[in-house]
Each structure stands twice: as C-alpha cells, then as structure tokens.
Amino acid sequence: MKTNTKSSNIHFSLGDNFFDKATPAIFPNHVLRFRNNRAASRLNLDKLNDEDWISYFGKFSQFPGVEHGPLALKYHGHQFGHYNNELGDGRGFLLSQFLDKSNNLWDLGTKGSGKTNFSRGGDGRLTLKGAVRELLATELLSSLGVSTSQTLSIIETEENLHRNDEPSPTRSAVLVRRSKSHIRIGTFQRLAYLNENNNIEKLTRHVIQNYFPSLNNSENINILAENFFLESVKRIATMTGRITAAGFVHGVLNTDNFNVTGECFDYGPWRFVEFAEPNFTAAYFDYNKRYSFGRQPEAALWALTQLGNSLSSFLNEKKIIQTLNEFSRLFNNSLSKHFCWRLGIKDIGAKNVNKIMHILLQISMESKIDFSSFFYDFYGGSEAVSDCLNSSQGAKYKNEEFFEIISFLKKTYAEDGCLEKRVFFKDQFENLLIDEVELIWDQIDKNNNWTFLEDKIDRIRVMGDLLGAKKLIDF
C-alpha cells in the first residue's frame, strides 16, 4: 500500500492536552459507495486501488509516515446558547494529516468511526443517509463557491442503526472528510474554561504557523492573539457571506461547528432554501429559530464573540470589541461579491446588494420567487433582464415590489465570458431542495440504486465548472 503522500504529525505534536487516543470500530463489512478522486488528488491519494482505499478509510490502516493512531480531539462549546463542557469527538477522529504540493496542511477526519471517550452514551456510528446528505451538501456548496470540507469517502458498513429522527433500523456508514482544520472555536473555549493559558498560546502559535502563514509570527503573544483573532473573524465573515448568497442553512451553528480557519463543515440537518425566507430553519429542534436563514450572520458573530472571550487573557476588551466590529463590514463585502459572482455580474457594491436582499427577503415567498432560480434567470445582468421578463418564467417578476431589483439589474455589467455561458446554463443550474434529497435517498434505500446520486453529483460539478468555482476554493 505505497502512496506518494506527504504525511504530517503536526497536531499529534501538540500533545495529549489536545486529544485522546481513539480505538476505531471494527465493522462487519465494507462496501465502497463513494470515493472523491478530485479531492484525493490534492494529496496524491487518487491512485489508490479500491482495496487499499477501504483499508485506509474503512479499516483505518495507518498511513506511511503517520506516527499516531486515531486522535479524538478535545473541545467544548455553546450548543444553542448553552455551554457544554462534555463535548469532544464522539463519533469521529483525526485520522491523519497531509501536506499538498504547496505545503498546505490538510486534515482527514472521520464521522461514524466508533465510540470514543466523548461519546456520552452514543453508539459512535453514522447513518448511511447522513453520509449521503453530507456528500450532497459539500458538493453543491463547493460548486457554489463556498469554502467547505470535502467528502472524501463513504463506505457502507452494514450495521443496523436505530435513530429517533428517521425510520429504523437504518443503514450505517463511515465517512471521511478532507478539511483544512478541525480546530474549532470550541477548542479555544475548552482551554479558557480550564484556565490553560499556556495551551491557548501554544494553539494560537500552532494555528498561525500552519494555517495563517502570511501573518507575522511575532514572539509577542498579545500581537499574535490579535492577528489570529482578526484573521478568524475575516474568514468566518467571508464564509457566512457566501453561504447566505448560496441560500444555505447549516442548521446547527454551535461554536463547536465553527472551525477557526473559516470552512463550513460538519453537516447534519442542513437545507438549501426554496424562498429567501429569513425565518426558515433547517433543524426541527431549533424551536426558537436561533439558526434560521436570516440569523446566520448573527450566529457567526455570536460564536466569534466567544472566541474573543477565550482569548481575553491576551486581548483587552477594547481590542476584542474593535475586532468584532469588523465583522459586519467583512460579511457585507463577502455577501456582495458572492451575490454578484452567482449572478455573473461585476460587483455593484454592498449597499445595493443589501437593498436587493432586503427586498427578496420580504417578497420571495409571497411572490413565489425561487431563490436559486433568481440567479439563474438573471445570470449575466442587464442583457438577461429582457430575456427573462419575456420568457414563460418572467411573469412572477412583473410586480411592483420587484421593480426596484429590475432597475438595479438593468444597470449591471456582465463579467467576462458570462453572457456566453447563459446558453450552457439553460440546463445546468442545480439546486438541492428537500424533496430531491429525499428522492435520491429513497432510490438508494429502497432499490440500492445509486445512479440518481451519481448523476446529481455529475450535474452539480458541471455547474461548478461553468461558474468557475475552482477559482474561489480548493477542491
């Protein structure tokens, strides 16, 4: 099982204050259902044969050069606003780390790989449906230009699982994701909770050296903490702007579900919105709509406030507030740029985009203006307006409330090449509403038919290539 990978043991070198060693589950069977060669190629793993792939990602054989077994990472976090000091990797672990050709550090993390010291009575398993749903989320987000973890592997393990929120018994799987980091806001919260200032400093230096190398690696921890905090605010604000423009609702934006490097990850009850409905929630248990579509920026800022509080031994209150005050500007700039990117137009500025979003949030549901279709119908800006309004789908836009948006769009200019793409986009715009997700799962669950899933991923990737998503994120 020789590979050309360049392994790293950098997280292991932090020491066992940051993880517990985990014993992976032994599964009754291993059926390879998905392998992401696009994501694997970044780490020179795409040439593995299926047998070796299963050995590494289903049986957890140790990669050459990796000096440790699985590591269950330690963290705390706020869950729906309530602090929980009993968290940690309860059904996953850090399997290994690799450096790519540009010496960027990547994690391979598991989900559904068995019990750990943090399982709290859970079985440490993942349903196959949960794995399929995470795959679909990461694929569409990637094609919509959102920095996200990549679903690297899904292996069905043929155990019968019992869950309260889906028909049981249900099928089981183990998933492996590729992510830039699994260091969460909750990782810092745990160290602050335990008053481990030395380890906060150690982790801050670790993050800057390995994930934020462009920052000045000063000897002064106060300067380091300030730079690190601002960079995390920038990255998380950027991610939040992009998921808003993508119409994505994560569902559970607890502080343990934010990594400090600003990738969207760890998907449970996610949804893509049909209409720009600010109160739309993804999680049935989000009774107070804390993480609804319109409140996700608020949730991100709240989570970043907890990160700032965790750094308070090195940052004074004034500096924390000053840094947090950057969030709104950074979020609005990200939303503006990504909104225009989805429309294929030159940036019209945050003020104008905010006006358009405000109108959409008010009228989208009542006027039955599908959020994703809006971007498709007006792709290319001004030259698309008349085509859309004169088409069969244009009637819904011919109302007084939408007139101001039309006025904005008539003044826009297409980005280079976007008008030519309109011809190809006619049949290549993809969304993932809940009915389609359930249809894909039904075909797998009832008929063991994977072609619906495979075809959907192919179409999503074609759309991403047309949009130019590769220029924005690392596949």
Side-chain angles (χ1 to χ4, degrees):
M1 293 188 294
K2 291 183 178 179
T3 67
N4 294 319
T5 57
K6 189 177 180 182
S7 59
S8 172
N9 297 285
I10 191 67
H11 198 95
F12 182 61
S13 70
L14 285 170
D16 57 12
N17 285 319
F18 297 87
F19 55 78
D20 279 350
K21 293 180 180 178
T23 301
I26 298 175
F27 300 114
N29 204 2
H30 301 82
V31 182
L32 180 57
R33 295 302 189 185
F34 175 77
R35 55 177 289 168
N36 190 342
N37 285 327
R38 183 176 68 179
S41 64
R42 189 71 181 261
L43 307 178
N44 290 317
L45 294 170
D46 53 314
K47 300 300 189 296
L48 290 173
N49 61 42
D50 286 352
E51 181 181 357
D52 289 346
W53 186 280
I54 289 172
S55 181
Y56 285 126
F57 302 130
K59 301 177 181 178
F60 312 114
S61 297
Q62 203 160 305
F63 280 96
V66 176
E67 298 172 356
H68 59 82
L71 307 177
L73 304 187
K74 296 179 178 179
Y75 51 84
H76 290 174
H78 281 89
Q79 296 187 307
F80 290 88
H82 301 286
Y83 195 77
N84 189 338
N85 63 355
E86 296 182 345
L87 296 178
D89 280 338
R91 58 171 176 172
F93 46 65
L94 180 65
L95 179 61
S96 51
Q97 293 181 294
F98 296 100
L99 295 168
D100 64 18
K101 295 176 183 177
S102 300
N103 272 341
N104 297 307
L105 184 64
W106 296 91
D107 289 2
L108 296 188
T110 66
K111 192 171 183 179
S113 48
K115 292 184 179 181
T116 74
N117 291 341
F118 307 108
S119 295
R120 295 181 295 160
D123 61 12
R125 267 47 174 190
L126 173 68
T127 68
L128 181 61
K129 183 178 183 179
V132 168
R133 282 177 48 82
E134 178 146 339
L135 168 60
L136 287 168
T138 56
E139 287 292 325
L140 186 52
L141 285 172
S142 295
S143 286
L144 292 177
V146 177
S147 293
T148 175
S149 61
Q150 297 293 306
T151 302
L152 184 72
S153 172
I154 295 175
I155 294 172
E156 186 170 2
T157 53
E158 297 193 339
E159 293 179 303
N160 290 323
L161 303 181
H162 291 267
R163 296 291 185 265
N164 294 327
D165 54 356
E166 62 180 280
S168 297
T170 188
R171 296 158 73 174
S172 61
V174 62
L175 177 147
V176 177
R177 69 166 72 99
R178 192 204 72 187
S179 184
K180 288 180 181 175
S181 165
H182 284 82
I183 298 173
R184 308 158 192 254
I185 288 177
T187 312
F188 281 87
Q189 288 184 280
R190 173 183 169 273
L191 298 175
Y193 178 88
L194 298 173
N195 294 313
E196 294 182 1
N197 287 336
N198 289 339
N199 281 328
I200 293 176
E201 177 175 350
K202 186 176 185 178
L203 188 59
T204 302
R205 293 185 182 279
H206 170 87
V207 170
I208 288 181
Q209 181 177 349
N210 294 288
Y211 301 105
F212 304 160
S214 63
L215 298 183
N216 179 23
N217 199 357
S218 170
E219 289 296 320
N220 187 316
I221 181 55
N222 302 93
I223 294 175
L224 276 179
E226 179 181 335
N227 291 341
F228 157 69
F229 186 39
L230 179 58
E231 185 66 19
S232 282
V233 169
K234 287 179 180 178
R235 294 188 182 209
I236 290 175
T238 297
M239 179 270 289
T240 307
R242 290 187 180 186
I243 66 170
T244 302
F248 183 70
V249 186
H250 183 282
V252 189
L253 286 176
N254 296 327
T255 57
D256 58 300
N257 284 337
F258 283 94
N259 64 14
V260 296
T261 52
E263 280 180 300
C264 193
F265 84 118
D266 207 3
Y267 302 101
W270 61 266
R271 298 281 273 284
F272 283 92
V273 297
E274 182 174 6
F275 306 111
E277 168 53 44
N279 292 322
F280 179 81
T281 57
Y284 68 88
F285 46 84
D286 188 2
Y287 305 112
N288 296 319
K289 300 186 181 299
R290 181 184 180 92
Y291 300 137
S292 62
F293 178 55
R295 295 184 66 186
Q296 289 183 124
E298 176 189 336
L301 179 58
W302 194 91
L304 285 165
T305 302
Q306 311 319 307
L307 178 59
N309 292 340
S310 300
L311 298 168
S312 59
S313 294
F314 308 106
L315 297 177
N316 61 43
E317 184 178 3
K318 181 179 178 181
K319 178 56 65 176
I320 292 172
I321 293 173
Q322 179 183 343
T323 304
L324 290 170
N325 284 341
E326 291 291 303
F327 178 87
S328 179
R329 177 183 63 83
L330 293 164
F331 165 77
N332 283 311
N333 285 343
S334 172
L335 174 62
S336 173
K337 290 179 180 178
H338 211 62
F339 189 95
C340 293
W341 177 82
R342 283 203 71 185
L343 272 175
I345 61 175
K346 297 184 184 299
D347 196 350
I348 60 175
K351 184 177 179 181
N352 289 332
V353 168
N354 279 334
K355 286 183 178 178
I356 294 174
M357 279 295 297
H358 179 71
I359 295 170
L360 284 174
L361 289 168
Q362 287 184 316
I363 71 170
S364 176
M365 176 175 284
E366 183 178 347
S367 301
K368 300 301 179 185
I369 296 173
D370 180 273
F371 187 68
S372 64
S373 293
F374 164 79
F375 293 99
Y376 306 155
D377 292 339
F378 294 103
Y379 189 80
S382 58
E383 297 193 33
V385 172
S386 59
D387 289 345
C388 175
L389 295 181
N390 292 327
S391 68
S392 58
Q393 70 266 25
K396 61 187 174 185
Y397 299 115
K398 294 178 181 178
N399 60 64
E400 184 177 350
E401 292 85 355
F402 199 79
F403 178 77
E404 190 172 359
I405 294 180
I406 293 293
S407 298
F408 276 120
L409 294 175
K410 285 181 176 179
K411 300 173 186 176
T412 61
Y413 298 93
E415 284 284 8
D416 294 343
C418 287
L419 291 178
E420 292 80 0
K421 291 179 183 178
R422 281 183 58 78
V423 177
F424 299 101
F425 273 138
K426 182 178 180 181
D427 300 312
Q428 293 297 343
F429 280 122
E430 297 293 333
N431 199 12
L432 265 174
L433 301 181
I434 187 62
D435 287 347
E436 185 176 11
V437 175
E438 291 297 327
L439 174 63
I440 290 170
W441 170 245
D442 281 346
Q443 288 297 317
I444 293 170
D445 187 39
K446 296 176 181 177
N447 306 315
N448 213 30
N449 180 357
W450 292 78
T451 58
F452 278 63
L453 175 66
E454 293 161 357
D455 291 346
K456 184 64 176 182
I457 291 173
D458 287 344
R459 295 196 305 274
I460 287 172
R461 289 187 174 188
V462 168
M463 182 188 73
D465 290 341
L466 287 170
L467 286 171
K470 290 181 180 178
K471 295 180 181 179
L472 299 181
I473 62 173
D474 296 318
F475 287 130

